[in-house]
Amino acid sequence: GESVGLHLPTLSVQEGDNSIINCAYSNSASDYFIWYKQESGKGPQFIIDIRSNMDKRQGQRVTVLLNKTVKHLSLQIAATQPGDSAVYFCAENIGRGAQKLVFGQGTRLTINP
Amino acid sequence: KAGVTQTPRYLIKTRGQQVTLSCSPISGHRSVSWYQQTPGQGLQFLFEYFSETQRNKGNFPGRFSGRQFSNSRSEMNVSTLELGDSALYLCASSLGGQVGSGNTIYFGEGSWLTVV
């Protein structure tokens, strides 16, 4: 069935460095992707999204890249800060316009001082 | 404006009981969906409601049900609780219609359910 997977379950980076979190998806019909950040004990927090007709989208300190050829999504976080420590999920909407997200397993990002 | 609000935040139930969880979407949002999050299965889609109608459903047994009211608020119910139903139940809302940039999906803080 459809699935969204992450290449690395954990990622540790030095404060101030850039981090890249990767995600593979399998549903070629998906046209909308979202990255969420989840801190301990909280719900997923929206970070950035991208539609399938785009290759790249930038936000504040974050960039999402989409490669539809290899069904790959990545989240780049620039100049990481301690507050960036969390679990990051990519999600693929398969609801054909309606809400139906398929989530990856998540990557735990740890920022070292 | 206020985000997605879920109540209760924490609850403990006994096997065999039933539970009802409530969700108030962001003001103006008409689509509400529910997800279950467990350490073993991750985040899994339960169902989605729009204008009081269920539009999408995940692969959960019939013990899991939901509904949406005319003010877009939603409830989900789990009957005959099992130990494996212990999870964080998350509600998400969006404007409705075609999801996408400018009409994205926002989550609440969740309801932690423990079944003993």
Side-chain angles (χ1 to χ4, degrees), chain A residues 24-99:
Chain A
Y25 66 94
S26 60
N27 191 334
S28 57
S30 294
D31 64 358
Y32 180 56
F33 305 86
I34 311 172
W35 280 99
Y36 289 97
K37 171 187 179 183
Q38 188 174 29
E39 296 174 285
S40 181
K42 297 186 176 182
Q45 176 188 350
F46 172 83
I47 300 174
I48 193 167
D49 58 4
I50 189 167
R51 291 196 65 87
S52 60
N53 59 357
M54 301 175 69
D55 297 323
K56 178 180 179 179
R57 193 155 190 247
Q58 288 183 290
Q60 187 176 12
R61 287 199 306 116
V62 294
T63 301
V64 55
L65 298 177
L66 175 63
N67 185 330
K68 296 179 287 294
T69 302
V70 295
K71 298 180 188 172
H72 184 266
L73 196 68
S74 68
L75 175 70
Q76 300 177 359
I77 305 174
T80 53
Q81 304 168 358
D84 294 329
S85 293
V87 177
Y88 289 80
F89 293 95
C90 63
E92 165 188 23
N93 193 61
I94 64 171
R96 301 190 180 194
Q99 281 194 46

Side-chain angles (χ1 to χ4, degrees), chain B residues 48-103:
Chain B
E48 186 240 4
Y49 288 87
F50 177 74
S51 293
E52 303 178 66
T53 300
Q54 187 180 90
R55 288 200 298 191
N56 280 299
K57 190 177 187 303
N59 297 320
F60 279 82
R63 299 185 297 108
F64 292 80
S65 63
R67 60 177 175 169
Q68 187 180 35
F69 303 95
S70 58
N71 61 358
S72 296
R73 192 176 68 83
S74 177
E75 289 181 346
M76 69 162 284
N77 182 276
V78 187
S79 63
T80 317
L81 284 166
E82 301 176 359
L83 296 178
D85 296 333
S86 295
L88 175 64
Y89 289 89
L90 292 158
C91 173
S93 77
S94 67
L95 288 169
Q98 185 83 14
V99 293
S101 298
N103 179 20

Side-chain angles (χ1 to χ4, degrees), chain A residues 11-16 19 80-86 109-113:
Chain A
L11 179 63
S12 185
V13 300
Q14 292 296 122
E15 183 178 351
S19 64
T80 53
Q81 304 168 358
D84 294 329
S85 293
L109 177 65
T110 301
I111 309 302
N112 299 314

Side-chain angles (χ1 to χ4, degrees), chain B residues 33-47:
Chain B
S33 56
W34 289 88
Y35 294 79
Q36 181 196 65
Q37 185 174 25
T38 61
Q41 299 298 319
L43 279 148
Q44 294 186 293
F45 173 83
L46 281 157
F47 28 65

Side-chain angles (χ1 to χ4, degrees), chain A residues 41-42, chain B residues 6-12 21 88 110-114:
Chain A
K42 297 186 176 182
Chain B
Q6 293 187 243
T7 57
R9 286 280 285 135
Y10 305 92
L11 67 166
I12 301 174
L21 308 177
L88 175 64
S111 292
W112 288 92
L113 170 65
T114 301

